[in-house]
Amino acid sequence: MTLLTARDIRELAADIGLRPTKQKGQNFVIDPNTVRSIVTAAGLEENSNVVEVGPGLGSLTLGLLEAGHSVTAVEIDEVLAQKLPSTVEKFAGDDAPFQLVNADALRVTELPTLQHTTEAAAGTPDAGENQPDALVANLPYNVAVPVLLHFLETFPSLKTVLVMVQLEVAERLAAAPGSRTYGVPSVKAQWYGGVALAGKIGKNVFWPAPNIDSGLVRIDVTRTERDPAVRTRLFALIDAAFAQRRKTLRAALSGWAGGPQQSEDLLTAAGIDPKIRGEALTVADFERLAAVEPSAPVAEDPSP
């Protein structure tokens, strides 16, 4: 197996008449060593079933296959989706454990049966019936957080996530309470498990080169409780707490709680100072506050 070089990427793009656009967030990794570093940073278990979002021309797809993993790639662009299978066949062989889903990642609610490699399947009675245990992707910058949260919620089988996103977004996802970058994405992602920066990626390994650096974010998923009602109430609370960052929680949560006094009562019952701001709360603090039974109905927002 060989990975795609800068020359390969440009030839593949020329074959399909592709001119990368910023609107679609099309920046393709052209350095095989960077691809291998991304796969290594994911720290996947052997023969993992990986779902990849936005595979593009296949750089990371081939890196994952080279490492012995099975890959289900979700690609929204029809032209790229039509080209990728032949690229995988050419560079990884026609028996590579790969399949493609041509769909909008934000609308994907199930995936076709994932196949392990032949070696893994030999000793696995239920081989071919496995859900994805890892998400590894170079996510389009404009939809990175919504896609990430959608897959974490939709596929509870995920154990490991390694995504490349805009560096600013990566730092926000991994931010700690009290940081100016700590906010809605931080709390929601960290609700699912441990979130950490796993590396920085420079501009020059992409074609075309973006104007900003990228960052790798790794999530070790530990959340097993996925009660939809609990999540809906909690995430609505998180949204409200950061909607007006400069306000105290008493004021910021007024609309969510049904009034400033109700907001103060809930905060006091949860052992939280009503005068502090949302950025001071940990995930555990938000969970404790969301669990307090209100004296009046509170607003709920099902958004991720």
Side-chain angles (χ1 to χ4, degrees), residues 118-262:
T118 303
E119 294 81 2
T124 309
D126 63 343
E129 299 178 356
N130 300 280
Q131 287 298 299
D133 45 48
L135 166 65
V136 181
N138 174 14
L139 294 178
Y141 288 167
N142 55 341
V143 292
V145 172
V147 167
L148 172 63
L149 294 176
H150 173 69
F151 271 74
L152 282 168
E153 178 59 28
T154 304
F155 299 100
S157 58
L158 291 173
K159 299 177 182 177
T160 304
V161 172
L162 193 286
V163 292
M164 179 160 57
V165 296
Q166 182 179 343
L167 182 58
E168 179 183 342
V169 174
E171 292 172 340
R172 190 176 302 140
L173 286 166
S179 166
R180 67 178 183 83
T181 56
Y182 182 73
V184 172
S186 320
V187 185
K188 290 183 178 180
Q190 292 170 33
W191 180 72
Y192 288 99
V195 181
L197 280 174
K200 297 181 180 180
I201 307 293
K203 308 170 188 177
N204 295 332
V205 300
F206 294 94
W207 175 73
N211 297 324
I212 51 179
D213 289 333
S214 301
L216 298 177
V217 174
R218 179 187 167 101
I219 303 176
D220 294 306
V221 181
T222 56
R223 173 68 56 181
T224 56
E225 296 296 329
R226 300 289 183 91
D227 185 326
V230 171
R231 171 195 166 278
T232 296
R233 176 172 164 79
L234 175 65
F235 279 22
L237 164 61
I238 295 167
D239 288 335
F242 290 99
Q244 302 178 72
R245 291 184 66 103
R246 297 184 64 83
K247 288 190 174 183
T248 65
L249 282 171
R250 183 184 189 277
L253 298 180
S254 177
W256 173 81
Q261 188 57 53
Q262 291 93 324

Side-chain angles (χ1 to χ4, degrees), residues 1-302:
M1 179 178 298
T2 58
L3 301 189
L4 299 180
T5 63
R7 179 178 179 179
D8 294 325
I9 290 291
R10 289 184 171 87
E11 288 179 350
L12 289 169
D15 286 345
I16 58 177
L18 173 68
R19 293 184 178 181
T21 66
K22 291 183 179 180
Q23 183 180 7
K24 294 183 178 180
Q26 293 174 326
N27 301 97
F28 305 107
V29 180
I30 57 176
D31 177 44
N33 289 329
T34 298
V35 170
R36 291 190 175 102
S37 295
I38 294 171
V39 175
T40 299
L44 303 181
E45 296 180 359
E46 188 176 358
N47 301 313
S48 288
N49 282 326
V50 181
V51 59
E52 180 190 5
V53 175
L57 291 168
S59 297
L60 183 55
T61 308
L62 293 174
L64 290 164
L65 292 171
E66 180 188 60
H69 306 301
S70 302
V71 180
T72 295
V74 180
E75 175 59 64
I76 189 173
D77 189 294
E78 290 187 8
V79 175
L80 290 172
Q82 290 174 2
K83 182 63 177 177
L84 187 55
S86 62
T87 301
V88 170
E89 182 176 351
K90 177 181 178 180
F91 287 87
D94 57 8
D95 60 346
F98 165 82
Q99 58 188 348
L100 178 72
V101 176
N102 183 195
D104 181 348
L106 285 170
R107 297 179 180 274
V108 170
T109 56
E110 60 182 9
L111 294 170
T113 301
L114 292 165
Q115 297 292 338
H116 276 299
T117 59
T118 303
E119 294 81 2
T124 309
D126 63 343
E129 299 178 356
N130 300 280
Q131 287 298 299
D133 45 48
L135 166 65
V136 181
N138 174 14
L139 294 178
Y141 288 167
N142 55 341
V143 292
V145 172
V147 167
L148 172 63
L149 294 176
H150 173 69
F151 271 74
L152 282 168
E153 178 59 28
T154 304
F155 299 100
S157 58
L158 291 173
K159 299 177 182 177
T160 304
V161 172
L162 193 286
V163 292
M164 179 160 57
V165 296
Q166 182 179 343
L167 182 58
E168 179 183 342
V169 174
E171 292 172 340
R172 190 176 302 140
L173 286 166
S179 166
R180 67 178 183 83
T181 56
Y182 182 73
V184 172
S186 320
V187 185
K188 290 183 178 180
Q190 292 170 33
W191 180 72
Y192 288 99
V195 181
L197 280 174
K200 297 181 180 180
I201 307 293
K203 308 170 188 177
N204 295 332
V205 300
F206 294 94
W207 175 73
N211 297 324
I212 51 179
D213 289 333
S214 301
L216 298 177
V217 174
R218 179 187 167 101
I219 303 176
D220 294 306
V221 181
T222 56
R223 173 68 56 181
T224 56
E225 296 296 329
R226 300 289 183 91
D227 185 326
V230 171
R231 171 195 166 278
T232 296
R233 176 172 164 79
L234 175 65
F235 279 22
L237 164 61
I238 295 167
D239 288 335
F242 290 99
Q244 302 178 72
R245 291 184 66 103
R246 297 184 64 83
K247 288 190 174 183
T248 65
L249 282 171
R250 183 184 189 277
L253 298 180
S254 177
W256 173 81
Q261 188 57 53
Q262 291 93 324
S263 172
E264 181 170 342
D265 291 345
L266 289 172
L267 287 160
T268 301
I272 297 171
D273 183 353
K275 296 179 181 179
I276 64 174
R277 296 173 180 168
E279 63 197 42
L281 300 190
T282 65
V283 174
D285 291 331
F286 277 109
E287 287 189 284
R288 191 170 68 255
L289 177 56
V292 175
E293 289 295 332
S295 57
V298 299
E300 291 189 351
D301 181 353

